Amino acid sequence: MADQVALAEIEKRIQVVEDNLRQLMEQAAAYSGAADEERNADRIADQQAKLDALLKEREAQLK
């Protein structure tokens, strides 16, 4: 039961991070300028790292 709760929480966090990534991609497409692009690239990289970690955690839970 605890594993199912943990897995559900991981799935929820994955959805939040994926939504964040979609929003950041839309913002990056809308903004121009080197400073904006660099800031958005950093934020996207941060969210992608979080997503990668959550996907690894989910995979470990499923094994």
Side-chain angles (χ1 to χ4, degrees), residues 23-59:
Q23 290 178 21
L24 288 169
M25 295 290 195
E26 290 173 6
Q27 289 174 8
Y31 296 136
S32 64
D36 288 332
E37 289 176 15
E38 185 175 342
R39 182 173 44 248
N40 281 332
D42 290 344
R43 292 171 66 195
I44 289 169
D46 178 59
Q47 290 296 303
Q48 186 63 52
K50 288 179 183 179
L51 179 59
D52 292 344
L54 287 167
L55 292 173
K56 272 185 163 178
E57 190 175 344
R58 178 178 68 182
E59 186 66 29

Side-chain angles (χ1 to χ4, degrees), residues 1-17:
M1 180 74 165
D3 288 340
Q4 291 294 340
V5 172
L7 187 57
E9 179 61 28
I10 291 169
E11 292 289 344
K12 183 177 178 180
R13 291 170 55 198
I14 287 171
Q15 289 176 343
V16 168
V17 172

